[in-house]
Amino acid sequence: MSYQIMEVTGSDWEGRQPVEALTDTLENGGVLYFPALAFTLSPDELPLLRPDVRAPKSRNISQPAHGVVKGAVGSPEEMAALSGMMQRFRRQAVQLVHGLFPRYSSHLRLEPTSYRPTEVATRTQSWRADDKRLHVDAFPSRPNRGERILRVFSNVNPHQKPRVWRVGEPFEAMAQQFLPLIPGYRAWEAHVLHALGVTKSLRSEYDHMMLQLHDHLKRDANYQKNAPQTVAEFAAGSTWVCFSDQTLHAVHGGQYMMEQTFFMPPQHQYRPDQSPLGILTRLAGHPLQGARL
């Protein structure tokens, strides 16, 4: 593990207390790794550990906070078990985050829970969609104007295989290198994209920068090979947490993982100046058009 990854002891989802070092690591773009924090499946959930529970045309299985399971196939009993499994993971992820980061609690917005039963190493995708390349998360069709993307992951692999990531350099170091290569933001383009239905709302200058960084990183073969990075193996039965809009990450292998996403306005983190919005605003030297400051 590297300085970007901090190991955290304990096997309890509830009753966690805030620790300044953990908050600092998270908000500086690091990963909090809980090697003994397992999401344990019940006997009726174990049959769900197979790849064909995912619908062939779906990338992952997901469930909104107040909705039904999407992207899965199976019997009514299996769908009920899958829904219960995902709801239980959501509750435990919420307990973990609320205990560790109480300042976030009243400002978090629950996004869909996902279950990822597919082997990553053999998945074939376009370069832009290929998560085996170092990247930061950004949404082409869903501008978020600087809102944070906090994610909780758990490896539930029954064969004791790790989830293998590469974790890259700090966000600001990467941004300093790539920002000079990015074309300037043009508000009229954002209006055209929204009018055509390409984006669900107006793309801000922040969203433009993040998407450009995402694409430049994935397209640059030299950076992918030679940039500062470390390999992290997240063991079966472990959990890890990061801001995926800030942590440079790539997934190289692994199968059977749970994931919970939260969105949060950046002004409610402990150090808003350390958010990607704060960093990009500072590097740009001006307030970013349409962003959440």
Side-chain angles (χ1 to χ4, degrees), residues 122-143:
T122 55
R123 188 170 59 192
T124 302
Q125 297 173 295
S126 68
W127 67 266
R128 185 175 276 113
D130 186 4
D131 288 342
K132 293 192 289 292
R133 305 184 187 210
L134 280 170
H135 65 285
V136 288
D137 286 351
F139 304 123
S141 65
R142 292 182 292 148

Side-chain angles (χ1 to χ4, degrees), residues 234-245:
F234 301 117
S238 72
T239 295
W240 60 106
V241 181
C242 72
F243 279 119
S244 63
D245 55 334

